[in-house]
Amino acid sequence: MTARVLIKDLAALPDGPVSVAGWVETVRDQKKVQFVVLRDESGAVQLVNPRTVGDDGVVVADEPAVTISSLSQGTFVRATGELKHDERVKLGGIEIRLSTLEVETTAIPETPIAADSGIDKRMDWRFLDLREPRHNLIFRVQTTFEHALRQYWVDNGFVEIHTPKLMASASESRAELFELPYFETTAYLAQSPQIFKQMAQAAGFGRVFEIGPAFRADPSFTSRHATEFTSVDTEISWIDSHEDVMKVHEELLVAGFTAVKEKHGEEIERLFGVEITVPSTPFPRIPLAEAKRIVAERGYEVQREDDDMDPEGERQISAYVKETYGHEFVFLTDYAASIRPYYHMRHPEDPSITRSYDLIFNGVEISTGAQREHRVDILEKQAVEKGLSVEELEDVLAFFRYGIPPHGGFGMGLARVLMLMLHLSNLRETTYLFRGPTRLTP
C-alpha cells in the first residue's frame, strides 16, 4: 500500500500516485463526475472521480462511484489516486483523480450540530466541533505555545516537576477545594502546585516549572472560569523582589507569542481575523493604588468592598495601557496584604502591601505572581493574622525550618491566555474538554 500522505504535504509533491485518509467534508455527486472534499488533521483536498458512461450513454454503476454516492458527511475513508497540480482548482491548486476509495467507518448522516449552534450544544458534541479547521487550529496554537515555553525554561536552566494533585490538607483554607474519600481519610484536589514548587526551592532545584491540571470548587458560570484548568507555573530562587519574577514572566510570554506568530500567524489572521502581536519588553507596570486612581479618572469607581480590582476595572486599566503605551499587557503591582495569601512577602517599607502582582492581558487577569516569604517566623505570624492554624500548616512550614533561599513565582491559566490571544470571548473554546459546575461530560 502507498504510504499515507498528509494533505498539507501534497502541494510539494510531483504529479503521481498518492494515498490520503481523512473524513468526508462534502460530496458533489454529478452525472458525469463526482467530487469529494476530504479533510484530515492538516488540511483539505478535492478528490475527483469521472463517471463511466456506457456505449448507450447510460452511467455505469461501478466503483468507486457507487461508494461515493453513499458517502455521508463525517465518514472516514482512505483514498488512492493520481495527484494532479492544476491552478484552476480553487482548493489549493491540486486534486486527486481517484483510483480506489475505501470506507473505514460510516458516519450517521444527520449531524447534531451546525455552524450556528450555541456553545453548550457544541460542547455536548465536542469531537465533532473540533473537526472545524478554526477550532482545530486552537490546539495547534496551544501545542506551539507550550513547546516554546518549555524551550525557554530548558534553555534557561529550569527543572520540570510533576506535582501531586491529591493533597492531605488544604494549603490555605478549605474554600473552593474539592474533597474526596481517600481510603480511611479525606483528600483534596490541588488548587495549584504552590507548596510543591516552594518545596523544590528548599530542595535546591533553583528554578522549576510545571504545566498541569489544577482544580477549584468555584460555582462561577462566567466565560473565564472553570473547575478544572491547566496551570502554567514557575518558581525561581535567589530573587531580590517580585520584579525578578515579572522579568522571567514577560520573557516567557515573548518566547511563546513569537513562536505562535512565526508558525501560525497567517492562518490565525485568516481564520480568526487576528494579527498576533509579540509584546515588547518591559511590560508596563502600575501599582494597584495608581491603577485605581487612573480608572477613577476615566469615570469608573471599582465596585468592591475589599482592596482588590474588579473585572471592569481590569478592562479600564487595559484600555488605558493600550491607549498610552500601545501594549496588550500590564502588571498591576503592590497588592494589599489584606487580599493576598499569608505566604506573599510584604514590603519592608509598608507592610500593608505585598511584593506581588497580577498580569492583565487584553482586559482580563491571567496570572498572579509574587515574591514569597521565606522566613519561617514571619510566615507563622502572617498565617495567624489570616486566621490559619500553624499546627495545620506544619507539613508546609517544615521545609522552611531547614532553610530556603529567597524565591518567588507565578501561576498562569493556559486557556485564558489562548482565549485572549485569539480574541475569543469564552475559555470553553480554548479548553479541549471543559469542566464547570454543571459539566462533567463528555
Side-chain angles (χ1 to χ4, degrees):
M1 178 183 292
T2 305
R4 179 194 177 210
V5 178
L6 287 176
I7 290 171
K8 72 177 179 65
D9 297 328
L10 290 173
L13 297 179
D15 289 359
V18 292
S19 176
V20 292
W23 65 93
V24 174
E25 191 165 86
T26 59
V27 176
R28 283 189 292 145
D29 194 358
Q30 300 174 357
K31 183 177 180 180
K32 294 185 176 180
V33 64
Q34 296 167 308
F35 298 94
V36 177
V37 174
L38 185 73
R39 184 172 291 280
D40 69 7
E41 61 267 34
S42 68
V45 69
Q46 178 174 275
L47 311 179
V48 182
N49 183 54
R51 302 293 295 266
T52 303
V53 180
D55 294 338
D56 56 1
V58 178
V59 174
V60 177
D62 58 0
E63 290 293 347
V66 172
T67 298
I68 291 172
S69 295
S70 67
L71 290 175
S72 56
Q73 183 184 20
T75 292
F76 278 76
V77 300
R78 292 180 184 271
T80 63
E82 289 288 315
L83 176 67
K84 299 290 184 182
H85 288 73
D86 187 341
E87 61 184 19
R88 295 171 298 177
V89 178
K90 294 181 180 179
L91 189 58
I94 55 173
E95 63 183 15
I96 297 174
R97 302 291 179 91
L98 276 174
S99 300
T100 66
L101 187 72
E102 177 185 355
V103 174
E104 293 289 351
T105 56
T106 301
I108 297 172
E110 297 79 21
T111 56
I113 56 173
D116 59 352
S117 295
I119 193 164
D120 283 334
K121 183 71 170 178
R122 288 169 44 212
M123 293 299 109
D124 290 338
W125 298 94
R126 187 61 160 157
F127 64 96
L128 294 177
D129 182 55
L130 290 172
R131 290 183 186 176
E132 287 295 317
R134 189 171 187 267
H135 305 156
N136 179 287
L137 176 60
I138 291 169
F139 297 94
R140 299 190 182 282
V141 169
Q142 175 183 282
T143 300
T144 298
F145 184 70
E146 286 192 41
H147 178 73
L149 303 189
R150 289 180 187 278
Q151 194 66 56
Y152 171 88
W153 282 317
V154 170
D155 288 347
N156 286 277
F158 285 74
V159 176
E160 183 170 14
I161 57 175
H162 298 290
T163 63
K165 306 311 168 191
L166 291 169
M167 300 179 67
S169 63
S171 58
E172 297 173 47
S173 71
R174 283 173 171 75
E176 297 186 355
L177 276 173
F178 286 109
E179 291 186 17
L180 68 158
Y182 192 75
F183 301 104
E184 301 300 318
T185 185
T186 298
Y188 303 90
L189 292 180
Q191 292 177 313
S192 85
Q194 182 59 46
I195 63 173
F196 303 115
K197 292 191 300 178
Q198 292 186 267
M199 184 183 294
Q201 308 311 297
F205 279 32
R207 296 177 158 208
V208 299
F209 72 92
E210 179 178 25
I211 300 177
F215 304 86
R216 297 281 170 90
D218 182 355
S220 296
F221 290 88
T222 76
S223 61
R224 61 186 190 279
H225 287 93
T227 52
E228 179 182 356
F229 60 96
T230 300
S231 186
V232 177
D233 282 270
T234 286
E235 203 78 14
I236 54 178
S237 287
W238 300 111
I239 65 172
D240 294 323
S241 75
H242 54 314
E243 178 61 40
D244 296 318
V245 181
M246 288 188 283
K247 186 174 186 297
V248 167
H249 202 160
E250 62 194 9
E251 288 177 355
L252 186 71
L253 284 167
V254 166
F257 273 66
T258 298
V260 168
K261 184 177 181 66
E262 289 177 353
K263 188 166 185 177
H264 306 288
E266 290 183 7
E267 195 173 6
I268 290 170
E269 194 160 0
R270 177 168 57 84
L271 293 179
F272 290 92
V274 172
E275 182 180 356
I276 298 297
T277 301
V278 177
S280 59
T281 56
F283 295 1
R285 289 143 164 77
I286 304 176
L288 183 60
E290 183 182 342
K292 287 185 174 182
R293 178 185 58 76
I294 292 169
V295 166
E297 290 174 354
R298 293 173 64 87
Y300 178 74
E301 291 292 337
V302 174
Q303 304 296 307
R304 291 189 67 117
E305 294 181 1
D306 60 17
D307 295 316
D308 209 348
M309 182 72 89
D310 65 9
E312 180 57 29
E314 292 172 350
R315 287 188 284 272
Q316 289 287 337
I317 197 64
S318 277
Y320 166 81
V321 169
K322 188 72 172 177
E323 295 162 7
T324 307
Y325 302 102
H327 214 287
E328 294 181 310
F329 291 87
V330 58
F331 286 116
L332 300 186
T333 66
D334 303 344
Y335 276 70
S338 61
I339 58 170
R340 289 310 209 197
Y342 76 95
Y343 53 80
H344 280 197
M345 182 177 282
R346 300 181 183 179
H347 272 284
E349 304 85 9
D350 183 357
S352 70
I353 58 176
T354 57
R355 287 182 163 181
S356 71
Y357 66 86
D358 276 1
L359 179 55
I360 313 299
F361 176 28
N362 280 339
V364 178
E365 178 260 309
I366 60 169
S367 178
T368 295
Q371 179 171 13
R372 321 300 187 188
E373 181 53 68
H374 60 284
R375 297 160 294 187
V376 69
D377 55 331
I378 298 176
L379 268 178
E380 290 177 338
K381 176 175 175 290
Q382 291 180 179
V384 171
E385 288 176 0
K386 292 285 185 180
L388 302 175
S389 165
V390 172
E391 288 72 25
E392 287 190 9
L393 290 170
E394 186 53 39
D395 284 347
V396 176
L397 296 174
F399 52 82
F400 288 86
R401 301 190 192 285
Y402 290 88
I404 190 169
H407 63 281
F410 63 85
M412 180 172 69
L414 177 63
R416 281 195 187 184
V417 176
L418 296 172
M419 174 185 77
L420 297 161
M421 176 194 291
L422 300 174
H423 293 204
L424 298 171
S425 60
N426 199 314
L427 60 68
R428 288 166 175 80
E429 301 276 10
T430 53
T431 304
Y432 177 60
L433 292 174
F434 174 76
R435 291 292 178 261
T438 60
R439 181 171 290 279
L440 278 172
T441 59

